[in-house]
Amino acid sequence: MPLWGWAAVGAVIAVMLAVDVLSHRDNHIIELREAVIWSAVWITAGLAFGLVVLVWLGGEPAVAYYSGYLLEKALSVDNVFVFALLFGYFRVPDEFQHKVLFWGVVGALAFRLAFIFAGAELLHRLAWAGLALGAFLVWTGWRLAVRGEPDVDPDRNPVVRLFRRLVPTDPRYHGSRFTVRVDGRRKATVLLVALVAIEGTDVVFAVDSVAAILAITTDTFLVWTATAFAVLGLRSLYFCLAGLLRHFEYLRYGLAVVLAFAGVKLILAETPVGEVPVWLTLAVVVLALATSIAWGRVAAWPGRRRARRRARRRRISPRDG
């Protein structure tokens, strides 16, 4: 990919981030309607760029892009669980959550860009890197299916503990400010500590997600654009799904299957079997995620039916009954 292509995509991402900042500069609470509209904007942008890839580079790169985009989008849903836990732990006011997530996304983009180039370089230079990365993804899939989400307790997060040890911290909120001067001394606010916790936790997710998408394609331009357009919509996705997390309790099993498949794909690429077709990867991603979401909906059906029955009984008075 020529340098101007990277520059053009970088400019588009910068403009989208600038528009997002200007639209939320008043630190208001993000309501569901606004979150849905912004999610539609980000998803439309990601899907439209896939069409650009189709016209510009051809069918196979477009399939690879959409496979990576769908995988990263699903992993973004997984991130929402962790963000909700961290916001609850730090009691971040609703009107400041968007600001924390915005800078969290900026950091996530930077981490992923570095990991993408490092991972792609390892795969190109070291013959055994594909086997090691594949084994790591298989293990990650097993861990996600059996043990669930990684521990996100900020008190045991080494990044947060190091930050609190090195940076003076005021245990209060001061509006939307990340730092405040107290008794002539500059201190970090709890809002900045919450941001550090999110950034530190996201590093773990970045390693898993970049490794998974590199199993689909090692074209750094496709990997970066699929990742960037998926991560850009993470803030709006959070406000859309934060109250609906219980409907995605089985999603981790679908993600576990996808991660394990990506690992097997990398391992097979280093054997006489060779590369797994990109269309097969897309089919596995779609089928695994759709099945896990449908499974969650079906499993929750008896509980919803009982809840409706209880609600109907409460509406009937003893005299009416």
Side-chain angles (χ1 to χ4, degrees), residues 54-320:
L54 176 63
V55 174
W56 188 9
L57 301 176
E60 187 169 342
V63 173
Y65 168 84
Y66 280 123
S67 299
Y69 175 79
L70 183 59
L71 174 60
E72 289 295 317
K73 204 67 177 175
L75 289 170
S76 295
V77 174
D78 208 34
N79 287 19
V80 170
F81 289 83
V82 176
F83 292 163
L85 290 174
L86 291 174
F87 281 149
Y89 177 89
F90 287 105
R91 296 182 175 87
V92 178
D94 292 344
E95 61 269 27
F96 303 145
Q97 290 180 4
H98 183 275
K99 181 176 181 178
V100 175
L101 286 176
F102 173 82
W103 290 109
V105 165
V106 172
L109 290 173
F111 284 132
R112 281 163 172 75
L113 185 61
F115 290 161
I116 286 169
F117 279 103
E121 190 67 18
L122 285 175
L123 289 175
H124 285 145
R125 288 184 177 272
L126 302 178
W128 52 266
L131 296 174
L133 196 58
F136 169 74
L137 285 173
V138 172
W139 175 78
T140 301
W142 173 86
R143 181 193 64 186
L144 183 60
V146 175
R147 300 169 59 184
E149 299 294 338
D151 183 17
V152 295
D153 185 356
D155 287 334
R156 291 189 287 179
N157 187 306
V159 176
V160 175
R161 293 174 64 181
L162 179 63
F163 180 82
R164 282 174 164 166
R165 183 175 301 176
L166 298 178
V167 180
T169 304
D170 187 87
R172 294 172 296 174
Y173 284 99
H174 295 265
S176 62
R177 299 171 66 181
F178 286 130
T179 63
V180 65
R181 186 172 293 278
V182 179
D183 298 329
R185 189 181 184 188
R186 179 67 62 178
K187 292 185 177 182
T189 65
V190 180
L191 197 66
L192 182 57
V193 178
L195 174 61
V196 171
I198 285 180
E199 295 285 16
T201 305
D202 186 69
V203 171
V204 178
F205 286 106
V207 172
D208 293 346
S209 65
V210 170
I213 196 171
L214 283 174
I216 297 174
T217 176
T218 56
D219 186 319
T220 52
F221 182 77
L222 294 178
V223 173
W224 164 241
T225 51
T227 300
F229 279 105
V231 171
L232 279 171
L234 183 57
R235 299 175 309 289
S236 300
L237 187 66
Y238 169 81
F239 292 107
C240 284
L241 300 181
L244 303 173
L245 295 181
R246 62 184 183 277
H247 298 302
F248 296 90
E249 60 179 318
Y250 290 95
L251 179 63
R252 65 186 178 97
Y253 294 108
L255 291 173
V257 171
V258 172
L259 291 173
F261 173 80
V264 172
K265 183 176 183 291
L266 273 177
I267 294 172
L268 290 178
E270 303 297 329
T271 68
V273 176
E275 294 282 350
V276 175
V278 176
W279 65 265
L280 180 59
T281 301
L282 179 59
V284 170
V285 171
V286 172
L287 182 61
L289 298 179
T291 301
S292 62
I293 293 174
W295 181 16
R297 299 294 293 173
V298 171
W301 175 253
R304 293 197 300 271
R305 185 166 55 186
R306 287 193 296 270
R308 286 196 295 268
R309 287 176 179 173
R310 288 194 296 268
R312 284 198 297 268
R313 285 197 295 267
R314 284 195 295 268
R315 287 196 296 268
I316 299 175
S317 66
R319 183 169 53 190
D320 293 334

Side-chain angles (χ1 to χ4, degrees), residues 44-61:
T44 300
L47 296 178
F49 188 80
L51 297 178
V52 173
V53 174
L54 176 63
V55 174
W56 188 9
L57 301 176
E60 187 169 342

